[in-house]
Amino acid sequence: MKTAPESPSPGPLEPQSRSALEVDAATVRGHLQLAATKIVEHFETLHQQPASDRSEGVTTARAAEESWPPTVSDLPSLLDELFDRLAPTSFNNPGPGFLAYVPGGGLFHSALADLLAGCLNRYVTVWAAAPGLVQLEINVIRWFCSMVGYPAEAGGFLSSGGSIANLSALVSARRDRLPEDFRHGTVYISDQTHHSVAKAALIAGLPQANVRRLPVDKNFRIDLQALGKTIDRDRADGFQPFLLVGNAGTTNSGAIDPLDELATLAEHQDLWFHVDAAYGGFFCLTHRGRRRLHGIERADSITLDPHKGLFLPYGTGCLLVRDPEKLRQAHSVAADYMPPIQGDAQRVDFSEISPELSRSFRGLRVWLPLKLHGVAPFEAALDEKLDLAEWMASRLSEVDGIKIIAPPQLSTLAFRLDRNDLDAEECDRLNQRLLAHINDSRRVLLTPTRLDGRFVIRICVLNFRTHRDRMEACLEDIRSAIDRVSAG
């Protein structure tokens, strides 16, 4: 009996034709080289670029208005437009003089990771679609859990930023602690808590009046006595307290709430305890930071922003939870076209524990620089920022007329120029003029806020490119600006 000949194994498919969108190898190499030239020039000149240049903002924006491109453009002209005309009219947040607020540092190797992730273009919110790449993100989450002192079974996900992380934390807490009718649920924050928490409550359907804003002490930390009384009063009035938010570094002053005491109160009151550590969390990598953030490990959930404390590009946030099952309860929805929900804790489907189904491969932008550099340089950079903030506070306290309103608890401080001969409004206007003069040199960019109702000037040191020389320039510009406003 004759056997049928075996069919030949199929060989690799060769494209019969290419669309205009499919570029050949020579084009890829050429475009990468053109982009690399601009990128290198950008990084090499960051120290010379002004900290802020918005003088031509309206003109630049209007010049950039256009309809659908009627004709094609060449890459060199587009790169020139991006780097030379559009980008310069902006805050230079990756530059060393950006002290205005908590920045995104923009590590080169994270940008490189984004290029690689975009070219690979793999789907990473379902484990089965890219097991090895999903594992990289799982590794990153485990590193972060270990850093904050969470147990091995803890988990979480990478988000676009702290706002989405705070939203998911609030929804998870609401799902875990409240019934289906959650209109009487109440949230407890300080009046220094980031506004993304109140926005999260709004998006999640809670009445805005149910967000209780508690006063703070002289160090801008939540008032524990007022907190306890408010919770007790709410229970007596028929409300359902369910979420307490502590701050691990506020935006206004870098204040750290008494996290250990808040954790104890939350346990006694049966509240979900969430810590917004978007700014301060990565100081856990340092000895001083771990001491100051004691109690963070007791939280039910923690928001981190790697695009702050790890100096990564914008768009890299994180939510950690002590019990990942709580995330699944709040985010999991089945669909016929999705793979079956798996029970293996080692094989995480991020789409089941987070809001997003389609998103970029964020984990690579964290994993690559940590693998290339190790943890030590990040710890050293964060320690340096703590030192620089303390140095600046010490030097400013020696300047006649300057009052430190918020000494640094991390790497942020707030100050103002006080004059006994001026009333509150006049003193505010004086400090507004002072701030404008400080920023005139464009070597640094500072921004204002209000603390205790007073206009204050804020310095936030959290850029890996910011060193002692730039802080000395900042101090020089402050002294010069004081001379100018004092002269009338």
Side-chain angles (χ1 to χ4, degrees), residues 98-142:
F98 190 84
L99 307 172
Y101 49 79
V102 186
L107 276 175
F108 165 71
H109 286 115
S110 285
L112 177 62
D114 281 352
L115 172 62
L116 299 174
C119 290
L120 289 171
N121 198 32
R122 294 301 197 265
Y123 195 74
V124 294
T125 61
V126 174
W127 186 88
L133 302 184
V134 172
Q135 186 62 48
L136 295 189
E137 288 207 5
I138 296 173
N139 293 347
V140 166
I141 295 298
R142 287 176 177 167

Side-chain angles (χ1 to χ4, degrees), residues 56-67:
E56 299 296 327
V58 173
T59 302
T60 300
R62 285 178 177 169
E65 292 178 359
E66 59 181 342
S67 58

Side-chain angles (χ1 to χ4, degrees), residues 409-420:
Q409 297 179 42
L410 289 170
S411 65
T412 296
L413 64 140
F415 69 96
R416 69 188 252 126
L417 182 61
D418 262 358
R419 290 263 297 271
N420 294 330

